[in-house]
Amino acid sequence: MKAVENKKEEYSEIYRIYFPRLVRFSQTYLSSPEEAENIVQDIFLYLWEHPALLASLKNRNAFLFTMVKNRCIDHLRNRMLLQNLSEVDEKELKFKLYSLQSFEENNLSETEIESIIQEAIDSLPERCREIFILSRLQGLKHKQIAEQLHITTNTIEGQIAIALRKLREKLKNHIPILVFLM
């Protein structure tokens, strides 16, 4: 009985520590917070159903991020196959997929990644930065942004393209983390 309680406590601790990190990581690649949470929930359900796996792990961090990475790759590939995407959306999705496949879990700390990203976003022109943040970080659709800022969706698409071009240039040495902005 004591062993079962210890396993539950260990699982709860891992969930508490890693769930928000894994969701945040997967959100950078997926189009909605719900998709990201579902993928991470599925992973934790799998771990719950296979408790021996947790006990055998030497590097939980790398294992969990690799699981999320692989599930996100599968999700993006399926999305590319099943959805009729615009040319811009398809290019973005391909870039996300490339970046995710290139991501090395142990290269940078979360704080370092956030700092690099924030610096790159801060370097954008003011209006471009505002539109980019509303689109990529707050998850608003182009139509919602257009209504909120009283501009056309064409302007938004143009500003997003400018932002992505400038961010790619600024983050060219950190291509895998560029996807955190997408």
Side-chain angles (χ1 to χ4, degrees), residues 95-141:
F95 188 74
K96 286 181 182 183
L97 189 57
Y98 168 77
S99 295
L100 187 56
Q101 290 168 329
S102 302
F103 184 77
E104 290 296 326
E105 296 78 19
N106 296 319
N107 279 351
L108 296 171
S109 74
E110 194 172 315
T111 306
E112 290 170 319
I113 291 170
E114 288 175 7
S115 174
I116 291 167
I117 291 169
Q118 191 59 53
E119 184 179 315
I121 292 172
D122 289 346
S123 73
L124 294 172
E126 185 178 343
R127 187 63 156 191
C128 187
R129 180 177 58 243
E130 179 183 19
I131 291 169
F132 183 81
I133 289 170
L134 289 171
S135 173
R136 295 307 190 266
L137 302 181
Q138 294 181 11
L140 296 180
K141 303 288 182 205

mmCIF file of all heavy atoms in Angstrom, residues 95-141:
data_model
loop_
_atom_site.group_PDB
_atom_site.id
_atom_site.type_symbol
_atom_site.label_atom_id
_atom_site.label_comp_id
_atom_site.label_asym_id
_atom_site.label_seq_id
_atom_site.Cartn_x
_atom_site.Cartn_y
_atom_site.Cartn_z
ATOM 1 N N PHE A 95 7.475 25.128 -41.690
ATOM 2 C CA PHE A 95 8.578 25.673 -40.901
ATOM 3 C C PHE A 95 8.494 25.196 -39.453
ATOM 4 O O PHE A 95 9.502 24.830 -38.849
ATOM 5 C CB PHE A 95 8.606 27.201 -40.969
ATOM 6 C CG PHE A 95 9.820 27.773 -40.330
ATOM 7 C CD1 PHE A 95 11.049 27.698 -40.950
ATOM 8 C CD2 PHE A 95 9.754 28.354 -39.072
ATOM 9 C CE1 PHE A 95 12.187 28.193 -40.348
ATOM 10 C CE2 PHE A 95 10.884 28.858 -38.467
ATOM 11 C CZ PHE A 95 12.112 28.782 -39.106
ATOM 12 N N LYS A 96 7.285 25.182 -38.901
ATOM 13 C CA LYS A 96 7.103 24.671 -37.542
ATOM 14 C C LYS A 96 7.544 23.219 -37.453
ATOM 15 O O LYS A 96 8.225 22.818 -36.513
ATOM 16 C CB LYS A 96 5.641 24.775 -37.103
ATOM 17 C CG LYS A 96 5.186 26.154 -36.771
ATOM 18 C CD LYS A 96 3.734 26.127 -36.336
ATOM 19 C CE LYS A 96 3.206 27.499 -36.022
ATOM 20 N NZ LYS A 96 1.823 27.464 -35.541
ATOM 21 N N LEU A 97 7.160 22.450 -38.446
ATOM 22 C CA LEU A 97 7.523 21.038 -38.473
ATOM 23 C C LEU A 97 9.037 20.875 -38.544
ATOM 24 O O LEU A 97 9.624 20.095 -37.795
ATOM 25 C CB LEU A 97 6.832 20.352 -39.653
ATOM 26 C CG LEU A 97 6.912 18.850 -39.734
ATOM 27 C CD1 LEU A 97 6.358 18.192 -38.472
ATOM 28 C CD2 LEU A 97 6.141 18.341 -40.943
ATOM 29 N N TYR A 98 9.674 21.642 -39.413
ATOM 30 C CA TYR A 98 11.133 21.595 -39.526
ATOM 31 C C TYR A 98 11.799 21.980 -38.196
ATOM 32 O O TYR A 98 12.710 21.310 -37.720
ATOM 33 C CB TYR A 98 11.623 22.530 -40.638
ATOM 34 C CG TYR A 98 13.113 22.738 -40.604
ATOM 35 C CD1 TYR A 98 13.984 21.768 -41.080
ATOM 36 C CD2 TYR A 98 13.650 23.895 -40.053
ATOM 37 C CE1 TYR A 98 15.353 21.945 -41.018
ATOM 38 C CE2 TYR A 98 15.016 24.087 -39.989
ATOM 39 C CZ TYR A 98 15.861 23.112 -40.473
ATOM 40 O OH TYR A 98 17.216 23.287 -40.393
ATOM 41 N N SER A 99 11.331 23.066 -37.618
ATOM 42 C CA SER A 99 11.914 23.537 -36.367
ATOM 43 C C SER A 99 11.725 22.525 -35.247
ATOM 44 O O SER A 99 12.630 22.285 -34.454
ATOM 45 C CB SER A 99 11.297 24.872 -35.960
ATOM 46 O OG SER A 99 11.625 25.845 -36.895
ATOM 47 N N LEU A 100 10.550 21.938 -35.192
ATOM 48 C CA LEU A 100 10.269 20.939 -34.160
ATOM 49 C C LEU A 100 11.150 19.716 -34.337
ATOM 50 O O LEU A 100 11.700 19.182 -33.376
ATOM 51 C CB LEU A 100 8.791 20.552 -34.204
ATOM 52 C CG LEU A 100 8.266 19.664 -33.107
ATOM 53 C CD1 LEU A 100 8.534 20.270 -31.732
ATOM 54 C CD2 LEU A 100 6.781 19.438 -33.277
ATOM 55 N N GLN A 101 11.331 19.290 -35.578
ATOM 56 C CA GLN A 101 12.178 18.128 -35.832
ATOM 57 C C GLN A 101 13.637 18.422 -35.498
ATOM 58 O O GLN A 101 14.388 17.527 -35.129
ATOM 59 C CB GLN A 101 12.048 17.693 -37.295
ATOM 60 C CG GLN A 101 10.703 17.085 -37.596
ATOM 61 C CD GLN A 101 10.441 16.906 -39.077
ATOM 62 O OE1 GLN A 101 10.924 17.683 -39.899
ATOM 63 N NE2 GLN A 101 9.672 15.898 -39.412
ATOM 64 N N SER A 102 14.034 19.694 -35.586
ATOM 65 C CA SER A 102 15.412 20.095 -35.301
ATOM 66 C C SER A 102 15.645 20.399 -33.829
ATOM 67 O O SER A 102 16.788 20.561 -33.409
ATOM 68 C CB SER A 102 15.769 21.350 -36.105
ATOM 69 O OG SER A 102 15.607 21.115 -37.464
ATOM 70 N N PHE A 103 14.577 20.503 -33.061
ATOM 71 C CA PHE A 103 14.688 20.926 -31.669
ATOM 72 C C PHE A 103 15.456 19.909 -30.835
ATOM 73 O O PHE A 103 15.164 18.722 -30.854
ATOM 74 C CB PHE A 103 13.297 21.128 -31.071
ATOM 75 C CG PHE A 103 13.330 21.658 -29.666
ATOM 76 C CD1 PHE A 103 13.585 22.988 -29.428
ATOM 77 C CD2 PHE A 103 13.124 20.827 -28.584
ATOM 78 C CE1 PHE A 103 13.622 23.486 -28.133
ATOM 79 C CE2 PHE A 103 13.167 21.309 -27.293
ATOM 80 C CZ PHE A 103 13.414 22.640 -27.071
ATOM 81 N N GLU A 104 16.436 20.377 -30.125
ATOM 82 C CA GLU A 104 17.189 19.549 -29.181
ATOM 83 C C GLU A 104 16.785 19.975 -27.785
ATOM 84 O O GLU A 104 16.973 21.117 -27.400
ATOM 85 C CB GLU A 104 18.693 19.725 -29.369
ATOM 86 C CG GLU A 104 19.219 19.136 -30.655
ATOM 87 C CD GLU A 104 19.067 17.620 -30.718
ATOM 88 O OE1 GLU A 104 19.181 16.955 -29.670
ATOM 89 O OE2 GLU A 104 18.814 17.111 -31.817
ATOM 90 N N GLU A 105 16.244 19.055 -27.029
ATOM 91 C CA GLU A 105 15.651 19.353 -25.738
ATOM 92 C C GLU A 105 16.626 19.914 -24.705
ATOM 93 O O GLU A 105 16.241 20.634 -23.807
ATOM 94 C CB GLU A 105 15.008 18.090 -25.150
ATOM 95 C CG GLU A 105 13.867 17.550 -25.946
ATOM 96 C CD GLU A 105 14.292 16.766 -27.179
ATOM 97 O OE1 GLU A 105 15.465 16.328 -27.257
ATOM 98 O OE2 GLU A 105 13.466 16.616 -28.085
ATOM 99 N N ASN A 106 17.892 19.594 -24.818
ATOM 100 C CA ASN A 106 18.831 19.974 -23.773
ATOM 101 C C ASN A 106 19.703 21.181 -24.111
ATOM 102 O O ASN A 106 20.596 21.520 -23.362
ATOM 103 C CB ASN A 106 19.739 18.786 -23.444
ATOM 104 C CG ASN A 106 18.952 17.642 -22.882
ATOM 105 O OD1 ASN A 106 18.051 17.836 -22.075
ATOM 106 N ND2 ASN A 106 19.260 16.432 -23.315
ATOM 107 N N ASN A 107 19.450 21.857 -25.238
ATOM 108 C CA ASN A 107 20.338 22.931 -25.667
ATOM 109 C C ASN A 107 20.253 24.189 -24.803
ATOM 110 O O ASN A 107 21.262 24.733 -24.406
ATOM 111 C CB ASN A 107 20.067 23.310 -27.113
ATOM 112 C CG ASN A 107 20.731 22.361 -28.069
ATOM 113 O OD1 ASN A 107 21.527 21.525 -27.673
ATOM 114 N ND2 ASN A 107 20.400 22.474 -29.328
ATOM 115 N N LEU A 108 19.059 24.692 -24.561
ATOM 116 C CA LEU A 108 18.905 25.942 -23.840
ATOM 117 C C LEU A 108 17.899 25.785 -22.708
ATOM 118 O O LEU A 108 16.968 24.998 -22.811
ATOM 119 C CB LEU A 108 18.389 27.043 -24.780
ATOM 120 C CG LEU A 108 19.290 27.461 -25.934
ATOM 121 C CD1 LEU A 108 18.546 28.388 -26.870
ATOM 122 C CD2 LEU A 108 20.538 28.140 -25.409
ATOM 123 N N SER A 109 18.073 26.576 -21.683
ATOM 124 C CA SER A 109 17.096 26.573 -20.603
ATOM 125 C C SER A 109 15.876 27.367 -21.039
ATOM 126 O O SER A 109 15.929 28.168 -21.979
ATOM 127 C CB SER A 109 17.690 27.199 -19.336
ATOM 128 O OG SER A 109 17.778 28.598 -19.498
ATOM 129 N N GLU A 110 14.788 27.174 -20.351
ATOM 130 C CA GLU A 110 13.550 27.890 -20.654
ATOM 131 C C GLU A 110 13.763 29.399 -20.528
ATOM 132 O O GLU A 110 13.277 30.175 -21.345
ATOM 133 C CB GLU A 110 12.471 27.417 -19.684
ATOM 134 C CG GLU A 110 11.085 27.808 -20.069
ATOM 135 C CD GLU A 110 10.057 27.152 -19.172
ATOM 136 O OE1 GLU A 110 10.151 25.959 -18.902
ATOM 137 O OE2 GLU A 110 9.146 27.888 -18.748
ATOM 138 N N THR A 111 14.504 29.823 -19.522
ATOM 139 C CA THR A 111 14.771 31.244 -19.306
ATOM 140 C C THR A 111 15.583 31.826 -20.461
ATOM 141 O O THR A 111 15.299 32.930 -20.928
ATOM 142 C CB THR A 111 15.521 31.453 -17.973
ATOM 143 O OG1 THR A 111 14.778 30.832 -16.934
ATOM 144 C CG2 THR A 111 15.721 32.906 -17.665
ATOM 145 N N GLU A 112 16.579 31.086 -20.923
ATOM 146 C CA GLU A 112 17.394 31.561 -22.047
ATOM 147 C C GLU A 112 16.553 31.692 -23.314
ATOM 148 O O GLU A 112 16.674 32.671 -24.048
ATOM 149 C CB GLU A 112 18.564 30.594 -22.300
ATOM 150 C CG GLU A 112 19.624 30.614 -21.225
ATOM 151 C CD GLU A 112 20.630 29.487 -21.386
ATOM 152 O OE1 GLU A 112 20.224 28.348 -21.707
ATOM 153 O OE2 GLU A 112 21.824 29.756 -21.179
ATOM 154 N N ILE A 113 15.701 30.703 -23.558
ATOM 155 C CA ILE A 113 14.829 30.739 -24.735
ATOM 156 C C ILE A 113 13.910 31.943 -24.669
ATOM 157 O O ILE A 113 13.783 32.702 -25.633
ATOM 158 C CB ILE A 113 14.021 29.431 -24.853
ATOM 159 C CG1 ILE A 113 14.949 28.272 -25.214
ATOM 160 C CG2 ILE A 113 12.906 29.566 -25.889
ATOM 161 C CD1 ILE A 113 14.304 26.909 -25.122
ATOM 162 N N GLU A 114 13.265 32.150 -23.518
ATOM 163 C CA GLU A 114 12.346 33.275 -23.367
ATOM 164 C C GLU A 114 13.063 34.604 -23.557
ATOM 165 O O GLU A 114 12.528 35.525 -24.167
ATOM 166 C CB GLU A 114 11.648 33.210 -22.008
ATOM 167 C CG GLU A 114 10.623 32.094 -21.927
ATOM 168 C CD GLU A 114 10.013 31.929 -20.542
ATOM 169 O OE1 GLU A 114 10.279 32.759 -19.654
ATOM 170 O OE2 GLU A 114 9.267 30.954 -20.369
ATOM 171 N N SER A 115 14.269 34.714 -23.059
ATOM 172 C CA SER A 115 15.039 35.949 -23.194
ATOM 173 C C SER A 115 15.386 36.222 -24.655
ATOM 174 O O SER A 115 15.249 37.358 -25.133
ATOM 175 C CB SER A 115 16.316 35.840 -22.362
ATOM 176 O OG SER A 115 17.138 36.948 -22.568
ATOM 177 N N ILE A 116 15.827 35.218 -25.375
ATOM 178 C CA ILE A 116 16.179 35.366 -26.788
ATOM 179 C C ILE A 116 14.949 35.770 -27.596
ATOM 180 O O ILE A 116 15.005 36.677 -28.440
ATOM 181 C CB ILE A 116 16.791 34.059 -27.339
ATOM 182 C CG1 ILE A 116 18.172 33.824 -26.701
ATOM 183 C CG2 ILE A 116 16.900 34.092 -28.863
ATOM 184 C CD1 ILE A 116 18.728 32.434 -26.931
ATOM 185 N N ILE A 117 13.833 35.119 -27.331
ATOM 186 C CA ILE A 117 12.594 35.417 -28.047
ATOM 187 C C ILE A 117 12.117 36.831 -27.755
ATOM 188 O O ILE A 117 11.767 37.581 -28.664
ATOM 189 C CB ILE A 117 11.502 34.389 -27.691
ATOM 190 C CG1 ILE A 117 11.868 33.028 -28.275
ATOM 191 C CG2 ILE A 117 10.137 34.838 -28.178
ATOM 192 C CD1 ILE A 117 11.005 31.902 -27.776
ATOM 193 N N GLN A 118 12.114 37.205 -26.479
ATOM 194 C CA GLN A 118 11.643 38.542 -26.110
ATOM 195 C C GLN A 118 12.496 39.627 -26.755
ATOM 196 O O GLN A 118 11.982 40.627 -27.245
ATOM 197 C CB GLN A 118 11.617 38.704 -24.587
ATOM 198 C CG GLN A 118 10.889 39.946 -24.140
ATOM 199 C CD GLN A 118 9.440 39.969 -24.610
ATOM 200 O OE1 GLN A 118 8.698 39.037 -24.385
ATOM 201 N NE2 GLN A 118 9.049 41.038 -25.285
ATOM 202 N N GLU A 119 13.784 39.418 -26.768
ATOM 203 C CA GLU A 119 14.689 40.393 -27.393
ATOM 204 C C GLU A 119 14.383 40.529 -28.887
ATOM 205 O O GLU A 119 14.350 41.636 -29.430
ATOM 206 C CB GLU A 119 16.139 39.960 -27.186
ATOM 207 C CG GLU A 119 17.156 40.941 -27.701
ATOM 208 C CD GLU A 119 18.576 40.464 -27.445
ATOM 209 O OE1 GLU A 119 18.857 39.997 -26.331
ATOM 210 O OE2 GLU A 119 19.392 40.558 -28.389
ATOM 211 N N ALA A 120 14.145 39.411 -29.554
ATOM 212 C CA ALA A 120 13.833 39.442 -30.985
ATOM 213 C C ALA A 120 12.500 40.145 -31.241
ATOM 214 O O ALA A 120 12.388 40.964 -32.160
ATOM 215 C CB ALA A 120 13.803 38.018 -31.546
ATOM 216 N N ILE A 121 11.493 39.848 -30.440
ATOM 217 C CA ILE A 121 10.181 40.489 -30.599
ATOM 218 C C ILE A 121 10.291 41.985 -30.327
ATOM 219 O O ILE A 121 9.717 42.795 -31.053
ATOM 220 C CB ILE A 121 9.131 39.829 -29.684
ATOM 221 C CG1 ILE A 121 8.839 38.404 -30.162
ATOM 222 C CG2 ILE A 121 7.848 40.645 -29.649
ATOM 223 C CD1 ILE A 121 7.964 37.595 -29.219
ATOM 224 N N ASP A 122 11.037 42.347 -29.292
ATOM 225 C CA ASP A 122 11.208 43.761 -28.957
ATOM 226 C C ASP A 122 11.887 44.546 -30.067
ATOM 227 O O ASP A 122 11.718 45.764 -30.168
ATOM 228 C CB ASP A 122 12.003 43.916 -27.659
ATOM 229 C CG ASP A 122 11.213 43.492 -26.429
ATOM 230 O OD1 ASP A 122 9.976 43.335 -26.535
ATOM 231 O OD2 ASP A 122 11.834 43.293 -25.365
ATOM 232 N N SER A 123 12.642 43.873 -30.924
ATOM 233 C CA SER A 123 13.350 44.562 -32.001
ATOM 234 C C SER A 123 12.448 44.894 -33.192
ATOM 235 O O SER A 123 12.850 45.638 -34.075
ATOM 236 C CB SER A 123 14.537 43.707 -32.483
ATOM 237 O OG SER A 123 14.076 42.599 -33.229
ATOM 238 N N LEU A 124 11.232 44.356 -33.210
ATOM 239 C CA LEU A 124 10.300 44.635 -34.316
ATOM 240 C C LEU A 124 9.766 46.059 -34.214
ATOM 241 O O LEU A 124 9.635 46.603 -33.119
ATOM 242 C CB LEU A 124 9.113 43.656 -34.269
ATOM 243 C CG LEU A 124 9.412 42.193 -34.520
ATOM 244 C CD1 LEU A 124 8.170 41.345 -34.238
ATOM 245 C CD2 LEU A 124 9.900 41.980 -35.945
ATOM 246 N N PRO A 125 9.409 46.672 -35.366
ATOM 247 C CA PRO A 125 8.736 47.979 -35.321
ATOM 248 C C PRO A 125 7.450 47.866 -34.498
ATOM 249 O O PRO A 125 6.825 46.801 -34.446
ATOM 250 C CB PRO A 125 8.418 48.265 -36.794
ATOM 251 C CG PRO A 125 9.368 47.398 -37.565
ATOM 252 C CD PRO A 125 9.623 46.194 -36.718
ATOM 253 N N GLU A 126 7.039 48.958 -33.889
ATOM 254 C CA GLU A 126 5.947 48.941 -32.911
ATOM 255 C C GLU A 126 4.659 48.298 -33.427
ATOM 256 O O GLU A 126 4.115 47.400 -32.795
ATOM 257 C CB GLU A 126 5.659 50.368 -32.430
ATOM 258 C CG GLU A 126 4.618 50.412 -31.334
ATOM 259 C CD GLU A 126 4.374 51.819 -30.818
ATOM 260 O OE1 GLU A 126 5.206 52.713 -31.050
ATOM 261 O OE2 GLU A 126 3.324 52.007 -30.176
ATOM 262 N N ARG A 127 4.141 48.738 -34.558
ATOM 263 C CA ARG A 127 2.863 48.209 -35.079
ATOM 264 C C ARG A 127 3.018 46.739 -35.492
ATOM 265 O O ARG A 127 2.140 45.924 -35.242
ATOM 266 C CB ARG A 127 2.401 49.066 -36.267
ATOM 267 C CG ARG A 127 1.028 48.727 -36.777
ATOM 268 C CD ARG A 127 -0.018 48.990 -35.702
ATOM 269 N NE ARG A 127 -1.302 49.211 -36.329
ATOM 270 C CZ ARG A 127 -2.354 49.666 -35.719
ATOM 271 N NH1 ARG A 127 -2.282 49.992 -34.450
ATOM 272 N NH2 ARG A 127 -3.484 49.813 -36.343
ATOM 273 N N CYS A 128 4.127 46.428 -36.091
ATOM 274 C CA CYS A 128 4.423 45.059 -36.508
ATOM 275 C C CYS A 128 4.471 44.141 -35.278
ATOM 276 O O CYS A 128 3.911 43.045 -35.276
ATOM 277 C CB CYS A 128 5.757 45.052 -37.255
ATOM 278 S SG CYS A 128 6.191 43.506 -38.023
ATOM 279 N N ARG A 129 5.132 44.621 -34.229
ATOM 280 C CA ARG A 129 5.234 43.867 -32.976
ATOM 281 C C ARG A 129 3.847 43.658 -32.368
ATOM 282 O O ARG A 129 3.505 42.551 -31.940
ATOM 283 C CB ARG A 129 6.150 44.604 -31.996
ATOM 284 C CG ARG A 129 6.316 43.889 -30.665
ATOM 285 C CD ARG A 129 7.295 44.590 -29.719
ATOM 286 N NE ARG A 129 6.904 45.951 -29.430
ATOM 287 C CZ ARG A 129 7.613 47.040 -29.758
ATOM 288 N NH1 ARG A 129 8.760 46.923 -30.371
ATOM 289 N NH2 ARG A 129 7.173 48.241 -29.455
ATOM 290 N N GLU A 130 3.038 44.705 -32.359
ATOM 291 C CA GLU A 130 1.692 44.614 -31.788
ATOM 292 C C GLU A 130 0.865 43.548 -32.519
ATOM 293 O O GLU A 130 0.218 42.710 -31.889
ATOM 294 C CB GLU A 130 1.006 45.981 -31.879
ATOM 295 C CG GLU A 130 -0.406 45.988 -31.338
ATOM 296 C CD GLU A 130 -1.082 47.345 -31.501
ATOM 297 O OE1 GLU A 130 -0.640 48.164 -32.326
ATOM 298 O OE2 GLU A 130 -2.085 47.560 -30.788
ATOM 299 N N ILE A 131 0.891 43.581 -33.834
ATOM 300 C CA ILE A 131 0.130 42.620 -34.630
ATOM 301 C C ILE A 131 0.668 41.206 -34.414
ATOM 302 O O ILE A 131 -0.094 40.255 -34.259
ATOM 303 C CB ILE A 131 0.155 43.020 -36.125
ATOM 304 C CG1 ILE A 131 -0.659 44.302 -36.315
ATOM 305 C CG2 ILE A 131 -0.362 41.890 -37.009
ATOM 306 C CD1 ILE A 131 -0.507 44.950 -37.674
ATOM 307 N N PHE A 132 1.980 41.078 -34.400
ATOM 308 C CA PHE A 132 2.596 39.769 -34.201
ATOM 309 C C PHE A 132 2.204 39.179 -32.849
ATOM 310 O O PHE A 132 1.849 38.001 -32.751
ATOM 311 C CB PHE A 132 4.120 39.880 -34.314
ATOM 312 C CG PHE A 132 4.804 38.559 -34.182
ATOM 313 C CD1 PHE A 132 4.890 37.698 -35.265
ATOM 314 C CD2 PHE A 132 5.350 38.160 -32.973
ATOM 315 C CE1 PHE A 132 5.502 36.466 -35.148
ATOM 316 C CE2 PHE A 132 5.966 36.940 -32.848
ATOM 317 C CZ PHE A 132 6.048 36.089 -33.932
ATOM 318 N N ILE A 133 2.248 39.981 -31.814
ATOM 319 C CA ILE A 133 1.892 39.510 -30.466
ATOM 320 C C ILE A 133 0.428 39.089 -30.417
ATOM 321 O O ILE A 133 0.098 38.026 -29.869
ATOM 322 C CB ILE A 133 2.207 40.591 -29.410
ATOM 323 C CG1 ILE A 133 3.729 40.720 -29.241
ATOM 324 C CG2 ILE A 133 1.541 40.266 -28.069
ATOM 325 C CD1 ILE A 133 4.173 41.901 -28.411
ATOM 326 N N LEU A 134 -0.450 39.878 -30.999
ATOM 327 C CA LEU A 134 -1.870 39.526 -31.000
ATOM 328 C C LEU A 134 -2.103 38.210 -31.747
ATOM 329 O O LEU A 134 -2.899 37.376 -31.320
ATOM 330 C CB LEU A 134 -2.696 40.643 -31.631
ATOM 331 C CG LEU A 134 -2.821 41.929 -30.821
ATOM 332 C CD1 LEU A 134 -3.467 43.035 -31.656
ATOM 333 C CD2 LEU A 134 -3.605 41.694 -29.541
ATOM 334 N N SER A 135 -1.390 38.027 -32.847
ATOM 335 C CA SER A 135 -1.584 36.836 -33.664
ATOM 336 C C SER A 135 -0.918 35.599 -33.054
ATOM 337 O O SER A 135 -1.572 34.586 -32.839
ATOM 338 C CB SER A 135 -1.023 37.076 -35.069
ATOM 339 O OG SER A 135 -1.062 35.896 -35.831
ATOM 340 N N ARG A 136 0.362 35.703 -32.794
ATOM 341 C CA ARG A 136 1.119 34.512 -32.420
ATOM 342 C C ARG A 136 1.134 34.203 -30.925
ATOM 343 O O ARG A 136 1.148 33.060 -30.531
ATOM 344 C CB ARG A 136 2.558 34.621 -32.921
ATOM 345 C CG ARG A 136 2.679 34.629 -34.423
ATOM 346 C CD ARG A 136 1.959 33.429 -35.028
ATOM 347 N NE ARG A 136 2.235 33.267 -36.423
ATOM 348 C CZ ARG A 136 1.494 33.745 -37.417
ATOM 349 N NH1 ARG A 136 0.414 34.444 -37.152
ATOM 350 N NH2 ARG A 136 1.823 33.538 -38.667
ATOM 351 N N LEU A 137 1.142 35.227 -30.115
ATOM 352 C CA LEU A 137 1.241 34.986 -28.680
ATOM 353 C C LEU A 137 -0.121 34.966 -27.992
ATOM 354 O O LEU A 137 -0.296 34.276 -26.992
ATOM 355 C CB LEU A 137 2.166 36.007 -28.022
ATOM 356 C CG LEU A 137 3.600 36.039 -28.574
ATOM 357 C CD1 LEU A 137 4.442 37.056 -27.839
ATOM 358 C CD2 LEU A 137 4.246 34.671 -28.533
ATOM 359 N N GLN A 138 -1.070 35.746 -28.524
ATOM 360 C CA GLN A 138 -2.400 35.759 -27.925
ATOM 361 C C GLN A 138 -3.381 34.890 -28.700
ATOM 362 O O GLN A 138 -4.502 34.677 -28.259
ATOM 363 C CB GLN A 138 -2.920 37.186 -27.791
ATOM 364 C CG GLN A 138 -2.098 37.995 -26.807
ATOM 365 C CD GLN A 138 -2.612 39.410 -26.641
ATOM 366 O OE1 GLN A 138 -3.695 39.749 -27.102
ATOM 367 N NE2 GLN A 138 -1.819 40.237 -25.969
ATOM 368 N N GLY A 139 -2.966 34.415 -29.873
ATOM 369 C CA GLY A 139 -3.769 33.470 -30.632
ATOM 370 C C GLY A 139 -4.991 34.032 -31.330
ATOM 371 O O GLY A 139 -5.895 33.279 -31.676
ATOM 372 N N LEU A 140 -5.027 35.342 -31.558
ATOM 373 C CA LEU A 140 -6.178 35.924 -32.240
ATOM 374 C C LEU A 140 -6.096 35.644 -33.742
ATOM 375 O O LEU A 140 -5.022 35.586 -34.320
ATOM 376 C CB LEU A 140 -6.237 37.438 -32.016
ATOM 377 C CG LEU A 140 -6.442 37.921 -30.579
ATOM 378 C CD1 LEU A 140 -6.471 39.438 -30.540
ATOM 379 C CD2 LEU A 140 -7.713 37.345 -29.985
ATOM 380 N N LYS A 141 -7.255 35.482 -34.348
ATOM 381 C CA LYS A 141 -7.352 35.286 -35.798
ATOM 382 C C LYS A 141 -7.159 36.643 -36.478
ATOM 383 O O LYS A 141 -7.381 37.702 -35.878
ATOM 384 C CB LYS A 141 -8.721 34.715 -36.179
ATOM 385 C CG LYS A 141 -9.064 33.409 -35.488
ATOM 386 C CD LYS A 141 -8.247 32.288 -36.047
ATOM 387 C CE LYS A 141 -8.644 30.972 -35.388
ATOM 388 N NZ LYS A 141 -7.606 30.001 -35.424
#
